[in-house]
Amino acid sequence: MSTNTLSKEAELRLTDFFNKTVDPNTMAKTIRRFNHLVALSLMRENETFQLDMTNLENGFYWLNELAEILNPYLDVE
């Protein structure tokens, strides 16, 4: 896993975005819905979709990780 750090400007912009622009719970819900819709549409379009599968899997993983950071839905017991 990468350990890249964000610049102070990027941190401030992200904090500002999530504090003023969007509700984290709503953003997490939207990300999960988007991932679900993309997965469904790809499966329906071509069940043997193999082109660039690694990038697709990584995209789903990282979007879900972001959703979990915004609203830890899967960690709740």
Side-chain angles (χ1 to χ4, degrees), residues 13-75:
R13 291 176 70 187
L14 282 169
T15 301
D16 188 50
F17 177 77
F18 286 112
N19 286 338
K20 295 180 182 174
T21 307
V22 67
D23 172 45
N25 293 339
T26 303
M27 176 65 98
K29 191 179 214 180
T30 302
I31 289 169
R32 288 185 182 104
R33 283 183 180 166
F34 174 77
N35 267 355
H36 179 75
L37 290 173
V38 168
L40 280 178
S41 66
L42 286 173
M43 286 187 293
R44 288 179 179 159
E45 182 179 317
N46 187 353
E47 292 180 10
T48 59
F49 184 80
Q50 293 297 319
L51 300 174
D52 213 11
M53 188 59 76
T54 302
N55 284 338
L56 184 62
E57 288 173 354
N58 286 338
F60 284 129
Y61 174 80
W62 288 114
L63 281 174
N64 281 328
E65 283 294 306
L66 177 59
E68 281 300 300
I69 289 167
L70 296 172
N71 179 12
Y73 175 77
L74 298 175
D75 291 337

